[in-house]
Amino acid sequence: MIPVNEPLLQEEDFIALQDTFRTGWISSAGKYVEEFEQSWSAYCGVKHGVAVSNGTTALQVAVEAVGIGKGDEVIMPSFTIISCASAVVRAGGVPVLVDCDPVDWCMNVNEVAQKITPRTKAIMVVHMYGHPVDMDAIMTLANQHGLVVIEDAAEVHGAKYLSNRSTPAASWKKCGGMGHIATFSFFANKLITTGEGGMVITDNDEFATKSRSLRNLCFRADRRFLHTELGHQFRLTNMQAAVGVGQVRRIEEIVERKRWAAKEYTDRLQGLAELQLPMERDWARSVFWVYGMVLHDDVPFDAAEFAKRLRELGVETRPFFLGMHEQPVFRDMGLFLKERYPVSERIARRGLYVPSGLALNLEQIETVSNAVQRAIKG
């Protein structure tokens, strides 16, 4: 069975991890946490990095740090992981959904403006499957309406976006460095992994200070164990950070490997009329976090059957996200009742992704590609 993801670690990562054992710095303090925060935020072009325990907690910290509270609305895509909406709900806010784009699968920025109300406080952008959202449109709306932009950049380590592309000021910017605050995940299937782990990055000093407090139980500087706010225990260990610091140094090499794998897949599968394959807009530099594919409507089976056929051929897959408006837990709360997002619904039922990890080799890509063609043709 070819796994859907297998990380690719190097000797320097093990050496750094061993150093934490030798020195005894195995908890949430130590030089590697600081280096990881500084090096990753600097790479993204942002001043502050706040390492946390995972990408979900990063979202929760970011939402609370920008002041989302009871009744505040946050516009976000329906097509995303539940962590995005749950962070808003836990803070007392209200997620307001838009559909996704049928071509790049990111949030449909053309629907955002019509969802803005006097209660809107933020837009949560989710860069999807390695491809950036069209950020200029989002930032323009945010500036016009005084909204905070939260970037969920969990799936786009190293991805770039061409900002101001129709002007002489056009420049490439890294995902996570364009909004007011951004979050990353360093789960085992991400381009940079610490096993579990995450980070909040921001240029805003106030947001950074608040994030650091929230991740550490809101301890006060003047008196330990005296609390005037409720925080969380969302710290990242020095051991985990040690595994990540070398990968930050190798990030461009990692990105190129992901792009290479995507090209090899596309070269082999682009002739299949039955599939929509990942694409890259001319204003984006995707990192192809996963290699997704969507069955065309005239294919007489869905993604669940497609996955079953591939598994029988020795290929592990994962389904696409199920939209937030179709999650029973939110419907039971009275959220998103009678709402429909047809693109999200369609690709949730007809999309999956194939093995996409950094350890994937050419022989495995060839095997997976052949299996996809066999599964399609029956």
Side-chain angles (χ1 to χ4, degrees):
M1 184 69 66
I2 300 177
V4 74
N5 181 81
E6 187 177 352
L8 185 62
L9 299 174
Q10 295 190 6
E11 185 63 24
E12 68 171 322
D13 308 324
F14 292 108
I15 292 172
L17 179 59
Q18 290 170 342
D19 182 56
T20 67
F21 280 81
R22 284 195 300 269
T23 60
W25 290 92
I26 61 172
S27 190
S28 55
K31 67 178 184 179
Y32 292 110
V33 173
E34 295 176 5
E35 181 180 350
F36 192 37
E37 291 176 334
Q38 293 168 3
S39 62
W40 185 244
S41 60
Y43 173 79
C44 295
V46 172
K47 285 197 300 185
H48 304 287
V50 183
V52 294
S53 52
N54 55 63
T56 296
T57 58
L59 282 164
Q60 193 167 340
V61 165
V63 164
E64 294 181 29
V66 303
I68 302 299
K70 186 174 178 60
D72 291 332
E73 294 179 352
V74 180
I75 300 171
M76 66 178 64
S78 181
F79 185 70
T80 185
I81 194 166
I82 197 170
S83 306
C84 300
S86 65
V88 173
V89 170
R90 289 181 187 278
V94 180
V96 175
L97 306 179
V98 298
D99 208 349
C100 64
D101 184 278
V103 177
D104 61 27
W105 308 328
C106 292
M107 67 191 298
N108 189 333
V109 299
N110 296 321
E111 295 183 6
V112 175
Q114 65 194 50
K115 294 297 182 84
I116 296 173
T117 76
R119 296 179 298 278
T120 306
K121 189 160 186 177
I123 302 170
M124 183 182 287
V125 168
V126 185
H127 304 293
M128 190 57 59
Y129 294 164
H131 195 285
V133 170
D134 190 352
M135 287 297 295
D136 282 357
I138 295 294
M139 296 308 298
T140 296
L141 279 174
N143 292 332
Q144 288 172 347
H145 295 274
L147 305 178
V148 175
V149 174
I150 303 168
E151 279 187 82
D152 179 354
E155 302 172 4
V156 285
H157 301 184
K160 294 180 182 178
Y161 171 78
L162 184 58
S163 182
N164 299 309
R165 54 186 177 272
S166 60
T167 74
S171 63
W172 288 95
K173 296 183 179 179
K174 296 197 178 73
C175 291
M178 292 176 281
H180 300 104
I181 193 167
T183 65
F184 288 90
S185 166
F186 302 113
F187 184 57
N189 62 6
K190 301 301 191 292
L191 276 75
I192 290 176
T193 179
T194 56
E196 289 280 4
M199 195 177 297
V200 177
I201 68 170
T202 181
D203 270 330
N204 186 295
D205 296 343
E206 182 181 343
F207 292 166
T209 298
K210 184 69 172 177
S211 295
R212 292 188 187 282
S213 180
L214 284 165
R215 73 163 174 190
N216 193 29
L217 297 171
C218 287
F219 280 117
R220 291 176 61 94
D222 57 341
R223 171 67 166 87
R224 196 168 180 83
F225 304 121
L226 173 67
H227 300 269
T228 50
E229 296 178 275
L230 290 177
H232 311 279
Q233 201 293 73
F234 287 165
R235 300 184 296 265
L236 185 76
T237 70
N238 199 45
M239 293 184 293
Q240 292 168 293
V243 177
V245 291
Q247 294 172 71
V248 176
R249 291 191 288 268
R250 303 195 302 272
I251 182 60
E252 292 303 327
E253 174 187 333
I254 290 169
V255 167
E256 287 310 311
R257 184 168 182 86
K258 294 292 280 191
R259 289 176 60 82
W260 163 81
K263 183 180 184 303
E264 293 295 336
Y265 268 135
T266 299
D267 286 348
R268 289 162 174 77
L269 298 174
Q270 61 187 347
L272 283 177
E274 297 87 347
L275 289 178
Q276 177 190 359
L277 301 178
M279 56 79 67
E280 182 178 58
R281 295 192 183 275
D282 57 8
W283 42 258
R285 180 178 182 253
S286 177
V287 294
F288 299 97
W289 169 57
V290 293
Y291 195 85
M293 51 189 67
V294 176
L295 294 164
H296 287 170
D297 292 337
D298 56 359
V299 176
F301 54 86
D302 62 10
E305 172 62 23
F306 191 21
K308 179 176 177 290
R309 294 183 182 191
L310 286 171
R311 188 167 189 85
E312 290 171 353
L313 294 170
V315 175
E316 188 178 33
T317 64
R318 289 287 185 275
F320 272 18
F321 294 128
L322 184 66
M324 296 301 97
H325 68 292
E326 296 195 277
Q327 298 292 347
V329 64
F330 292 137
R331 288 186 169 182
D332 289 346
M333 294 177 184
L335 294 170
F336 318 133
L337 300 180
K338 298 182 181 179
E339 294 184 26
R340 295 291 307 276
Y341 299 98
V343 180
S344 298
E345 292 166 17
R346 177 180 174 273
I347 66 176
R349 289 157 177 75
R350 305 194 68 78
L352 56 70
Y353 61 88
V354 293
S356 308
L358 282 165
L360 197 68
N361 59 44
L362 190 59
E363 181 180 357
Q364 290 174 317
I365 291 172
E366 187 74 41
T367 299
V368 172
S369 299
N370 290 337
V372 167
Q373 296 179 59
R374 289 177 59 188
I376 288 288
K377 302 300 183 183

